[in-house]
Amino acid sequence: MNNIKFEYLKDPEVFQINRLNAHSDHIYYTPYMKYEDLRILQNGNFKFFYAKNLNEVKQDFYKEGFDDKDWDLIKVPGHIQLLGYGNPQYVNTMYPWDGIEDIKPPNIPSEFNPVGLYAYEFDLPKGFQKDAAFICFEGVESAFYLWLNGEFIGYSEDTFTPSEFDLSSFIKEKGNRLCIMVVRFSSGSWLEDQDFFRFSGIFRDVYLYTTPKIHIYDMFVKPEVLEDLKKAELKCEFEIVNKENLNGFIYFKLYDENNTLIKVSEKLKVSKNVTLNASLDNINLWNAEIPYLYKLIVEICDDKGETIEIVEQKIGFRRFEMKDKLMLLNGKRIVFKGVNRHEFNARYGRNISKEDILWDIKCMKKNNINAVRTSHYPNQKELYSLCDEYGIYVIDEANIETHGTWSFIKDLKYENIVPCDNEVWKGAVIDRGNSMVQRDKNHPSILIWSCGNESFGGKVLYDLSNFYRNTDNSRLVHYEGVANDRRYNDTSDMESRMYLKPQHIKEYLENNPEKPYISCEYAHSMGNACGNLEKYTKLADEYSMYQGGFIWDFIDQAIYNKDPNGEEYLATGGDFFDRPNDAYFCGNGLVFADRKESPKMKEVKFAYRDVEIFCDENYITIINKNNWLNTDKYEFHFELLENGLIIKKGKFLLDLNPQSRKTLDLPCAIPDKNCEYILTVSMCLKEDEIWEKAGYELSFGQGVVKKAVFKEIVEKSSNVICGNENIGFKMKNSSCLYFKPIGKLNSIKSNNKEFILSEIKPDFWRAPIDNDLGNKNTYKWAKWKIASLYAFKTKEKLEDSKLYVTYDLNIDKQIQCEFLYEFMYENKFSLTFTLENSGELIDMPAFGFSFEMPSFFSNVKWYGRGPFETYQDRKHGAKIGIYENKVADNYTDYLNPQECGNKTDLRFIEITDNEGSGLRIFSEDLFECSVLPYTSHEIESAHHKNNLPKQSKTVVHVCKKKCGVGGDDAWGAPVHPEYLVNLEGKMSFKVYFEVN
C-alpha cells in the first residue's frame, strides 16, 4: 500500500484488514521454551510524532529510509493525551466532537481528529522462526494501521480486544522497523460512546509471539455439568495449526486443586479440528463462594511421543441456566451483589496495571461484592483469571455503546440510530462480540455475555445475541436496551433495567413477569450518595425473580493534574480545557480514583453481606444466605458496650447450613445498671484467604439490648450580668457572652481561653451534594441558605438565667424560629431550638445550628455511629461506639467538594484542644453533627479540594436531623420521604453544652 487508505476510517464495513481470527487466550509452552520466551513484551519507548489531524500526517513515515531521528519518544503502553500530546476529554452521552464538527454516522471529524505515528526497531527474538512471527496489540484506541519494513501489514478497529497480525512474510533477523498509525476517531468511534474519559493511543501491552510447529490456535473447553450436578462431560474443542503437516497426537490430563491427576483422555491424531471428551463423577462445582478450579493440561506429541506443545488452562465446572423464570447456578437461585467497573488509574487512565486489577478484586471480596459487569467493554484478560480464582461472577460486555445517536434526539427515527436495523453496522458489531467471546470463553466466572450498553435496540443487536447463543449455549445473554425497543425483546434473556426506583421494580415483579429482573445499573454513586441502598437489596428477599444488580460504579474516573500554583489534585471533565465535557459526572465510584475506599463502600459491604446478624434484648438471630458455604468457615466475635465502652467480649463458632437461620441466647448477662448496653456480634474469617487475613470482619449485627434512663439536669443557675449591649453568664470556671445587637451568643470562655470564633446561629444549610444539584433540591432549598446566612433577631427575653431569642428567617412569616438558652453554674448550658410552621409543609437540608471554634480545637471524640461519615439513609454499615479523630479527618475528598463528615445517632460529641479543653455536646435524644475545617459555604464554592482555604477554624454543625443523601440516580431522583427533614407543625430539639 503506497498511499495510506484513509477511507477505511469512515467505512463501517471495514473494521479490519489482515487481522488474525480471534481465538482463546491460553498459556502454551514447549519442553524447551517457557511461555514468557514465546511471548516477548515490546513495551517501552517508541519514536513518536503527533499530528493534529489526518492532513498533518507524514504519509511516508512507514517507508524504509524515512528519517525519524528528530521525533519524540513516547511510552508504550500509554494514552497519548496523558503523555504530553493533546488533552484528555471527559464526556458522557454526547460524542467528543459535539458542537465542534457537524457530522453524521459513519463520518468522522476532519479537523478534530488527532493522529499518533509510532515507530520502533527490533530484532527477531531468540528462538523465534521467521515463518512463525506474530504481533499482538491488546488494546489500541480507536483505529490503527500497521506496517513492517515498509510493507502494509493490516488495519484494525475495536479499542478493547486484541488485534493480532502475522509478520512472517516481511520480518528480518535484524533491524526490523515497525510503524503504527493510531487515529483517535474512526467509524468505530460511533460504537464507542461510553461514559468515560476519551483517549487514544496504544494503551495495553504489545508483544511479539511465536508458536511451535504444531500449535493449538484455539481451544474451547466445555465442562458440561449434568442435571444431577454430580457428573459432567468435559468436551474440549481444538483448532490446530500444523503448517508442515507433521504427524502427531493430542490428549489432555485433568488435575484437581491439590494437583492430583484424576483423568486422562484418549489420544487422537492431530488434525485441523479435534474434539476430546471425558466423563467425570463426583465433581467439585465452581461458584463465587467456593471457586473450585481444576487444571487442564493438553499435550501435543509427535509420532515418536516427543512433546511439541503443552497448553495449560484452569477450568471450572458449573451449570448456569434459566429455569422456571429464574437464573440458576448449579441448581441454586443466585443474587448478583455487583458493581459496574471501568478500568481506571488516576495517573495512567485505562492503562491499568496488574496490581490495580488485583487490588480491585481483593477490594470486592472484602466488601462482599460477588459480581462485576465490565462496563462497557472487555477488560484486560487478567481480570477474568482473577475472577475465576477469587470467585467473582462476570457479565462480560462487548465494546458497543451508541448513546449519543439516540438518547437526546427529538423526532427519533430508526434509520438515524447506530446500529439499530442498519445492516451496514452488523459486521463490526458481530466482530466485537466475537472477539470478546473467543478470547474469554474458557473462564467459568463469566456467566453472561452482554450485547453492549445504551445502544437502543433493533435487529443488529438481536443478531448479536443470537450469535452468542449459537456460539456458546452455556451462558445467558444480557442487553438492557430492549426496554427502549420491544420489537426485539428476546435480545435479552433477563429483564435488565437502569435506575428504576424500588417501587417501580416492585411493579414489574408483581405483574406476572416473563423474565427475571436485574438492575444492570443502580444506586448511582456520584459524590456523597448510596442512600437507601437496602431498599434495593431487600427486594431479593421479597421477590425470587429479583436477582440483584450492579451499582454504578466501582471507581472514580479522575486524573492527577496540577493547578496554577503547582498543587496536585484529581481533575475531572473541563479541567483539561476539554470542551465539550460533562464535568464531575465521572465521579461515581465506591472507590476514589487513588484507590482509597470511600465511606459509601461501607454501606455496600453491609448491604451485600451474605450472613445477616440481628441482636435484640433477648436473642441473636443469624441468617446464612449463602448457597454453598456453611458458617463453620467463620468465627463469631461479640462485644458488650456499656455507655460505649467494651466491658465484655468473646467468640463462638456456629455450624449453620446455607439458606438457614438460627436463634441464639445472648452470650453474656446484661448488668442491672442505668447505662446503655449495646451488643455487637461480628462474623470474621477463621483462616487466611487469598484476599485477606484471618480475623477480617465480613458481617456484623448490633442492637441496643438495654436503654438508659436520661436524668434531667437540674443545677444551680449561673450568675447573670446585664450590660448595655451584652449579657454575661458567669459559671463556675467559665463564662458566656450574648451580644444583643446581633442577637447571638458569641463567646464561650474558660481559663481565659476563648472557645468560639463565630456566634452560634441557626443553620439549615449543607454544601450541596451532586444529588441535590441533580434533583434541583438546591433550587428548592435556596431560601434556607439565605436564612442560615442572614437570620436576624427580632426580640429577646431574659428570665433569670434563661434567655429566649426569636429570629426572622426571611422565608415565610408563618415560620417562627426561637433559641432558648439556659445557663447553669456547673459549667453547662442548654440550647433548645424550636422551629414552628403554621403554613404548608416545607422540607429543608438540615435542622440545626452552627458555630466556629479556633483551629487548635482539632480533636473530635463522639459516641455514635462511626468511624466514617454517616447519614440517615446511609448508616447501616457503621457501628455505634466511641470514636476519636482529628477535625481534618472528617473531610471526605469527593471530586466535587460537597457535604461530608456527618455523624448520626450521637449520644455526645466532644471537640477539644491538645490539652483537653473544649466543648462536650450531649442530648437526651439522638442527634447529628459534623466537625470540619470549612464552612458549608466554603465547601460549596470550591471547584476542587485544592480551591478550599487553608485550615484556620473548626466548624461545628449540630442538627436534630440532616437530609439523607439519596442516590437512586443523580439527575432527578428525590431523597426518599422518610429521610427528608420536613417542617410540619412544630420541631424542637435540645442539647447540652459542657465547657471543660
Side-chain angles (χ1 to χ4, degrees):
M1 186 171 70
N2 293 324
N3 295 311
I4 301 174
K5 293 189 176 180
F6 292 147
E7 59 266 28
Y8 293 167
L9 293 165
K10 53 186 178 181
D11 186 344
E13 295 185 288
V14 178
F15 46 85
Q16 67 89 13
I17 304 288
N18 297 335
R19 196 179 66 202
L20 297 178
N21 292 336
H23 59 88
S24 57
D25 169 57
H26 55 264
I27 293 172
Y28 64 93
Y29 50 93
T30 76
Y32 314 105
M33 295 183 74
K34 298 177 182 178
Y35 180 54
E36 295 78 12
D37 300 325
L38 297 164
R39 178 182 172 275
I40 309 296
L41 279 174
Q42 300 301 292
N43 300 347
N45 290 323
F46 284 43
K47 288 290 189 73
F48 183 75
F49 178 84
Y50 179 74
K52 292 181 180 178
N53 51 50
L54 292 170
N55 295 327
E56 294 188 3
V57 168
K58 298 179 181 295
Q59 292 208 32
D60 57 348
F61 86 101
Y62 63 86
K63 295 178 180 178
E64 290 192 301
F66 180 84
D67 186 1
D68 60 13
K69 67 176 184 297
D70 293 330
W71 283 19
D72 297 334
L73 292 177
I74 196 170
K75 180 176 173 287
V76 171
H79 298 295
I80 291 172
Q81 291 73 25
L82 295 182
L83 294 168
Y85 305 91
N87 299 317
Q89 181 184 14
Y90 168 66
V91 286
N92 175 19
T93 61
M94 57 184 160
Y95 285 94
W97 52 80
D98 189 65
I100 296 175
E101 295 192 38
D102 185 13
I103 56 173
K104 304 297 180 188
N107 291 315
I108 61 174
S110 57
E111 295 298 320
F112 176 46
N113 196 3
V115 180
L117 306 181
Y118 297 77
Y120 87 105
E121 295 186 359
F122 68 95
D123 297 333
L124 190 69
K126 183 180 179 182
F128 279 43
Q129 300 300 314
K130 290 177 63 178
D131 62 349
F134 308 91
I135 192 165
C136 176
F137 295 84
E138 293 280 5
V140 181
E141 190 169 7
S142 69
F144 72 99
Y145 298 73
L146 181 67
W147 295 266
L148 178 65
N149 298 326
E151 301 292 339
F152 178 65
I153 299 298
Y155 170 82
S156 183
E157 297 175 11
D158 186 4
T159 297
F160 296 100
T161 52
S163 297
E164 299 183 16
F165 299 90
D166 188 346
L167 304 180
S168 303
S169 298
F170 306 108
I171 201 162
K172 302 183 295 188
E173 291 286 346
K174 299 283 186 180
N176 295 284
R177 185 171 183 264
L178 193 80
C179 296
I180 310 105
M181 183 176 83
V182 178
V183 184
R184 187 168 185 179
F185 301 124
S186 64
S187 60
S189 299
W190 289 99
L191 295 169
E192 298 184 2
D193 193 30
Q194 288 93 334
D195 173 11
F196 60 11
F197 267 96
R198 312 302 170 99
F199 303 115
S200 65
I202 305 169
F203 71 98
R204 287 184 183 168
D205 286 345
V206 180
Y207 56 88
L208 295 169
Y209 70 94
T210 191
T211 58
K213 291 182 178 181
I214 307 178
H215 171 60
I216 296 174
Y217 183 79
D218 183 60
M219 175 174 68
F220 197 172
V221 180
K222 298 180 177 180
E224 298 175 357
V225 178
L226 303 185
E227 205 161 352
D228 66 0
L229 303 178
K230 295 179 180 179
K231 298 179 180 179
E233 295 293 329
L234 180 56
K235 183 178 182 181
C236 300
E237 300 173 350
F238 303 98
E239 179 184 341
I240 298 174
V241 176
N242 183 4
K243 289 183 179 180
E244 299 180 16
N245 294 317
L246 300 174
N247 292 323
F249 58 88
I250 181 171
Y251 72 104
F252 71 72
K253 295 179 285 187
L254 188 66
Y255 297 82
D256 66 14
E257 67 175 10
N258 298 316
N259 211 31
T260 301
L261 179 64
I262 61 170
K263 198 74 176 182
V264 180
S265 76
E266 62 179 329
K267 297 180 179 180
L268 293 181
K269 184 179 179 180
V270 166
S271 61
K272 182 177 180 182
N273 297 106
V274 178
T275 300
L276 292 173
N277 296 288
S279 297
L280 296 102
D281 296 322
N282 300 317
I283 53 170
N284 292 292
L285 299 178
W286 184 95
N287 58 72
E289 297 169 25
I290 307 173
Y292 194 100
L293 292 173
Y294 291 83
K295 183 170 69 174
L296 183 73
I297 299 292
V298 184
E299 287 196 37
I300 294 179
C301 301
D302 62 19
D303 52 6
K304 297 177 182 178
E306 294 292 325
T307 300
I308 295 177
E309 182 177 68
I310 303 165
V311 165
E312 192 173 312
Q313 179 72 47
K314 293 286 185 71
I315 66 170
F317 288 88
R318 50 119 184 105
R319 182 184 178 96
F320 187 59
E321 59 190 328
M322 187 79 75
K323 192 173 183 179
D324 299 328
K325 299 183 181 180
L326 292 177
M327 290 180 281
L328 304 181
L329 179 65
N330 303 332
K332 304 280 190 179
R333 166 185 172 260
I334 62 169
V335 176
F336 295 113
K337 301 176 179 183
V339 290
N340 287 273
R341 174 183 174 271
H342 272 298
E343 294 186 304
F344 210 80
N345 178 287
R347 296 200 184 276
Y348 307 113
R350 285 187 289 278
N351 169 220
I352 66 173
S353 68
K354 310 305 181 285
E355 291 75 18
D356 289 337
I357 301 171
L358 180 58
W359 189 96
D360 292 352
I361 294 295
K362 287 184 175 181
C363 178
M364 290 178 197
K365 292 298 289 187
K366 288 190 286 188
N367 288 290
N368 298 318
I369 294 165
N370 74 359
V372 63
R373 176 176 174 229
T374 65
S375 54
H376 304 288
Y377 42 83
N379 281 198
Q380 282 193 41
K381 59 188 181 183
E382 286 78 11
L383 174 89
Y384 306 96
S385 296
L386 289 171
C387 288
D388 295 342
E389 182 183 1
Y390 283 73
I392 299 285
Y393 302 125
V394 178
I395 295 182
D396 204 7
E397 193 148 82
N399 177 27
I400 302 168
E401 179 164 346
T402 67
H403 209 157
T405 67
W406 62 272
S407 61
F408 292 103
I409 297 174
K410 296 179 180 178
D411 302 322
L412 190 63
K413 297 178 181 178
Y414 288 155
E415 58 264 29
N416 297 328
I417 301 171
V418 176
C420 202
D421 303 333
N422 192 340
E423 293 285 316
V424 76
W425 296 99
K426 181 175 177 178
V429 165
I430 300 296
D431 177 72
R432 287 168 182 244
N434 180 62
S435 293
M436 174 181 73
V437 167
Q438 300 305 338
R439 186 193 69 170
D440 299 339
K441 60 196 173 190
N442 293 322
H443 292 284
S445 57
I446 300 171
L447 300 186
I448 298 172
W449 301 120
S450 175
C451 294
N453 184 66
E454 292 179 317
S455 298
F456 197 71
K459 186 177 183 303
V460 171
L461 293 173
Y462 176 64
D463 290 342
L464 175 59
S465 74
N466 283 330
F467 165 80
Y468 289 151
R469 295 183 184 100
N470 294 333
T471 305
D472 175 19
N473 62 8
S474 71
R475 296 175 171 98
L476 298 177
V477 177
H478 164 270
Y479 183 60
E480 175 270 341
V482 295
N484 299 304
D485 182 8
R486 293 294 184 182
R487 295 177 302 149
Y488 295 94
N489 199 49
D490 290 342
T491 302
S492 186
D493 292 328
M494 66 288 300
E495 183 72 7
S496 173
R497 301 288 295 276
M498 293 183 181
Y499 306 111
L500 234 58
K501 298 174 179 63
Q503 63 270 28
H504 297 142
I505 297 174
K506 288 183 179 183
E507 289 174 10
Y508 171 84
L509 295 167
E510 291 173 355
N511 281 280
N512 193 27
E514 289 299 312
K515 301 177 183 179
Y517 185 102
I518 63 170
S519 298
C520 66
E521 292 181 21
Y522 80 107
H524 195 269
S525 187
M526 185 173 177
N528 192 348
C530 273
N532 52 265
L533 185 62
E534 77 285 353
K535 289 194 175 185
Y536 288 96
T537 55
K538 284 180 179 178
L539 291 172
D541 298 327
E542 298 169 12
Y543 302 92
S544 61
M545 290 181 70
Y546 183 79
Q547 296 198 248
F550 298 78
I551 293 169
W552 187 264
D553 58 4
F554 180 70
I555 189 168
D556 280 348
Q557 296 180 73
I559 303 166
Y560 281 111
N561 195 16
K562 287 187 177 180
D563 66 16
N565 298 318
E567 185 175 349
E568 194 172 59
Y569 69 101
L570 285 165
T572 56
D575 291 327
F576 300 95
F577 303 102
D578 47 318
R579 307 290 188 273
N581 68 80
D582 279 293
Y584 300 106
F585 208 72
C586 53
N588 313 312
L590 300 173
V591 170
F592 294 128
D594 58 3
R595 278 187 165 73
K596 293 177 183 174
E597 292 183 18
S598 80
K600 294 172 287 189
M601 185 64 90
K602 302 301 182 184
E603 193 75 358
V604 172
K605 178 182 178 181
F606 188 82
Y608 276 3
R609 67 201 187 282
D610 293 312
V611 176
E612 295 182 346
I613 305 169
F614 301 94
C615 304
D616 61 31
E617 61 270 22
N618 298 309
Y619 303 104
I620 301 167
T621 302
I622 299 178
I623 305 172
N624 184 2
K625 297 171 76 172
N626 284 301
N627 280 324
W628 295 280
L629 272 180
N630 189 297
T631 59
D632 60 5
K633 184 181 178 67
Y634 309 105
E635 61 183 15
F636 293 81
H637 299 247
F638 72 87
E639 292 181 345
L640 183 66
L641 305 183
E642 180 182 271
N643 291 340
L645 299 174
I646 299 171
I647 61 166
K648 201 168 290 186
K649 61 183 178 179
K651 60 184 177 180
F652 59 91
L653 300 177
L654 180 65
D655 183 0
L656 185 59
N657 288 326
Q659 296 293 313
S660 60
R661 67 168 61 205
K662 194 165 188 177
T663 299
L664 308 172
D665 292 331
L666 297 186
C668 58
I670 309 303
D672 186 18
K673 295 164 63 177
N674 186 28
C675 297
E676 180 180 57
Y677 291 95
I678 295 175
L679 179 66
T680 307
V681 177
S682 300
M683 186 188 79
C684 305
L685 291 177
K686 189 162 65 173
E687 298 175 350
D688 289 352
E689 294 286 346
I690 56 175
W691 42 270
E692 191 50 275
K693 298 290 187 183
Y696 179 77
E697 181 188 87
L698 281 168
S699 178
F700 76 89
Q702 191 177 58
V704 178
V705 295
K706 185 181 177 185
K707 295 182 178 180
V709 177
F710 186 84
K711 294 182 179 180
E712 186 177 356
I713 298 175
V714 180
E715 293 184 355
K716 178 182 174 183
S717 299
S718 68
N719 296 319
V720 181
I721 302 171
C722 292
N724 291 330
E725 296 192 58
N726 294 279
I727 303 174
F729 301 91
K730 293 253 184 184
M731 295 174 276
K732 185 177 181 179
N733 298 314
S734 59
S735 64
C736 295
L737 201 62
Y738 170 80
F739 188 41
K740 291 190 280 186
I742 64 170
K744 294 182 179 103
L745 195 76
N746 69 349
S747 175
I748 302 173
K749 219 170 190 179
S750 178
N751 296 319
N752 292 318
K753 185 185 292 184
E754 180 58 68
F755 283 27
I756 61 175
L757 285 176
S758 72
E759 64 276 4
I760 298 177
K761 59 183 181 180
D763 194 346
F764 313 97
W765 193 241
R766 71 177 188 195
I769 64 174
D770 293 314
N771 289 338
D772 293 337
L773 299 168
N775 62 25
K776 297 182 173 57
N777 270 344
T778 45
Y779 173 80
K780 180 178 67 173
W781 288 340
K783 53 196 167 191
W784 292 108
K785 180 179 175 78
I786 302 301
S788 302
L789 285 169
Y790 304 117
F792 67 93
K793 177 199 72 172
T794 56
K795 61 181 179 180
E796 65 201 12
K797 181 174 66 173
L798 181 65
E799 293 181 354
D800 298 325
S801 60
K802 294 181 179 179
L803 176 64
Y804 298 82
V805 187
T806 303
Y807 298 100
D808 188 334
L809 302 179
N810 197 27
I811 292 177
D812 191 318
K813 294 299 181 184
Q814 295 174 310
I815 297 177
Q816 303 297 318
C817 176
E818 182 183 78
F819 275 9
L820 165 60
Y821 293 99
E822 186 172 1
F823 297 90
M824 291 156 269
Y825 181 70
E826 295 294 333
N827 300 312
K828 296 184 186 74
F829 66 92
S830 65
L831 170 55
T832 303
F833 185 12
T834 303
L835 202 60
E836 192 167 358
N837 178 24
S838 57
E840 295 182 0
L841 174 71
I842 297 176
D843 69 277
M844 64 185 79
F847 173 40
F849 59 87
S850 67
F851 58 94
E852 297 173 12
M853 301 176 71
S855 60
F856 54 78
F857 290 100
S858 59
N859 304 301
V860 187
K861 182 178 181 180
W862 72 98
Y863 180 19
R865 292 194 184 268
F868 41 85
E869 69 181 25
T870 54
Y871 292 83
Q872 288 298 327
D873 56 357
R874 201 189 76 214
K875 65 180 183 179
H876 299 86
K879 295 176 188 172
I880 300 168
I882 294 178
Y883 302 97
E884 297 182 61
N885 68 7
K886 294 290 187 179
V887 170
D889 298 333
N890 293 301
Y891 179 80
T892 305
D893 195 10
Y894 297 112
L895 291 176
N896 176 19
Q898 56 196 275
E899 159 68 34
C900 62
N902 192 56
K903 307 179 192 311
T904 58
D905 294 345
L906 289 174
R907 282 73 168 161
F908 71 75
I909 190 165
E910 297 174 356
I911 307 99
T912 60
D913 61 15
N914 291 335
E915 297 173 350
S917 297
L919 297 175
R920 186 175 192 265
I921 304 170
F922 61 98
S923 176
E924 177 180 1
D925 301 314
L926 302 178
F927 64 100
E928 302 183 37
C929 185
S930 65
V931 185
L932 294 165
Y934 319 109
T935 68
S936 59
H937 311 291
E938 289 170 334
I939 293 172
E940 180 181 2
S941 299
H943 183 61
H944 286 297
K945 183 182 179 181
N946 57 305
N947 304 126
L948 287 165
K950 291 184 179 180
Q951 186 173 350
S952 61
K953 56 188 172 292
T954 292
V955 182
V956 183
H957 190 192
V958 181
C959 297
K960 178 184 178 70
K961 188 177 181 182
K962 191 173 282 187
C963 183
V965 295
D968 292 352
D969 65 50
W971 48 88
V975 174
H976 286 240
E978 62 269 38
Y979 303 121
L980 293 171
V981 185
N982 288 317
L983 176 53
E984 184 176 19
K986 188 175 183 179
M987 293 177 68
S988 181
F989 81 111
K990 181 178 183 178
V991 297
Y992 293 87
F993 289 74
E994 185 173 354
V995 186
N996 296 313

